[in-house]
Amino acid sequence: MEKSSKMIIANWKMNGSKALIDSFASQLQNVVLKYESIFCLPCAFLDYAFFHFPKTISLGAQNCSEFSSGAYTGETSALHIKECGGQFIIIGHSERRTHYHETDEVIVKKVELILNNDLTPIICIGETHSVYTAHQTKDTLKKQLAYLQPLLKHSHSFVLAYEPIWAIGTGLTPSLDEIQEIHDFIYQEINLSPLYGGSVNYDNYDAIISLPHVGGLLVGGESLKLERFISMLAGK
Ligand code: PGA
């Protein structure tokens, strides 16, 4: 199996357990990975995963504070994530924008902090269903990308993920043509091939990741399914 330059990122969200990490760890020992493989886990499991996963797997978190340290009870610093073996941090996921009211300004602060600590942010952008049905997706993405403009000089050191909000956890996805069109658009805007995320599963992943200007996949629910997700990392 030829190694691909594309990546697959697991986003376990607030799920999983040490037992599941053990199961993944033992199966991953025997797999030849086709894709660069990154597991973004709940922070509480990072240290444990770091010691149990094979070194072919990179680790990441799903959020961090916009501050380096200090009196911010309950927050997790990018430095703490780094100390626990995390190299990547998802930032601006729609669930954080919606449930925790994260703004683009806060997202930019977090990304700067992550980059200053030599970690890699995985920055999420995407449109709501009403924007999608009104054919306003490109305008919305353009505005989200405008916020990232000051960071684009670091674009070699971050990962961008396009996740239509209406596709996350719903079983719905845009058509392959629509995914292609949006990824071409983002590539033209910032010269970077984003990941696609939103209801990716074992049955649809190969067609999506094979598209030009799709840099890889960000996978939620399916990344908790041991056999199916490991088969994705091994490739077809
Ligand atoms: P999903 O989630 O694969 O379960 O749709 C993707 C994500 O939220 O990153």
Side-chain angles (χ1 to χ4, degrees), residues 11 13 93 95 163 167-170 197-200 218-222:
N11 174 12
K13 311 195 180 188
H93 190 282
E95 287 153 16
E163 296 203 298
I168 295 176
T170 57
S199 292
V200 174
L218 181 54
V219 186
E222 193 82 341

Side-chain angles (χ1 to χ4, degrees), residues 156-228:
H156 55 281
S157 36
F158 67 72
V159 175
L160 190 74
Y162 166 59
E163 296 203 298
I165 296 168
W166 53 272
I168 295 176
T170 57
L172 303 171
T173 61
S175 68
L176 291 175
D177 284 349
E178 287 171 322
I179 294 174
Q180 183 68 73
E181 185 183 340
I182 295 300
H183 281 249
D184 287 348
F185 167 75
I186 295 171
Y187 185 81
Q188 278 155 21
E189 290 287 310
I190 64 167
N191 197 25
L192 189 144
S193 295
L195 311 187
Y196 170 79
S199 292
V200 174
N201 59 43
Y202 180 72
D203 302 315
N204 65 17
Y205 88 96
D206 192 47
I208 300 175
I209 202 169
S210 303
L211 294 172
H213 297 152
V214 171
L217 304 171
L218 181 54
V219 186
E222 193 82 341
S223 71
L224 291 152
K225 297 180 188 158
L226 186 65
E227 307 288 341
R228 286 169 69 90

Side-chain angles (χ1 to χ4, degrees), residues 1-173:
M1 174 72 65
E2 205 180 313
K3 184 119 181 133
S4 163
S5 60
K6 301 191 178 190
M7 59 174 66
I8 297 184
I9 303 182
N11 174 12
W12 276 16
K13 311 195 180 188
M14 202 172 70
N15 296 302
S17 60
K18 287 187 179 177
L20 189 62
I21 290 172
D22 289 343
S23 306
F24 267 94
S26 66
Q27 297 248 352
L28 284 166
Q29 306 287 353
N30 311 316
V31 175
V32 179
L33 302 168
K34 176 170 180 183
Y35 301 102
E36 183 182 353
S37 303
I38 299 154
F39 280 69
C40 291
L41 303 176
C43 279
F45 294 146
L46 272 184
D47 213 30
Y48 186 80
F50 184 69
F51 286 106
H52 288 81
F53 273 4
K55 295 298 169 226
T56 46
I57 302 293
S58 303
L59 293 174
Q62 304 161 14
N63 178 41
C64 68
S65 168
E66 70 260 46
F67 306 108
S68 320
S69 64
Y72 301 103
T73 301
E75 288 291 280
T76 305
S77 151
L79 282 169
H80 298 158
I81 291 166
K82 190 174 182 176
E83 254 195 74
C84 292
Q87 293 170 259
F88 292 81
I89 306 181
I90 297 175
I91 289 297
H93 190 282
S94 75
E95 287 153 16
R96 294 216 54 90
R97 292 180 194 253
T98 307
H99 303 316
Y100 301 96
H101 312 294
E102 264 185 25
T103 60
D104 285 320
E105 288 84 352
V106 167
I107 289 164
V108 168
K109 279 173 85 175
K110 291 183 179 190
V111 171
E112 281 169 349
L113 192 67
I114 293 167
L115 290 169
N116 289 339
N117 282 295
D118 294 323
L119 297 171
T120 303
I122 301 159
I123 308 167
C124 302
I125 59 172
E127 83 285 1
T128 60
H129 193 252
S130 55
V131 166
Y132 169 73
T133 49
H135 305 288
Q136 299 293 316
T137 300
K138 287 182 186 170
D139 290 341
T140 296
L141 295 179
K142 221 175 173 140
K143 284 189 201 128
Q144 292 176 333
L145 290 173
Y147 265 96
L148 302 176
Q149 200 59 40
L151 303 166
L152 288 182
K153 57 179 182 294
H154 305 286
S155 62
H156 55 281
S157 36
F158 67 72
V159 175
L160 190 74
Y162 166 59
E163 296 203 298
I165 296 168
W166 53 272
I168 295 176
T170 57
L172 303 171
T173 61

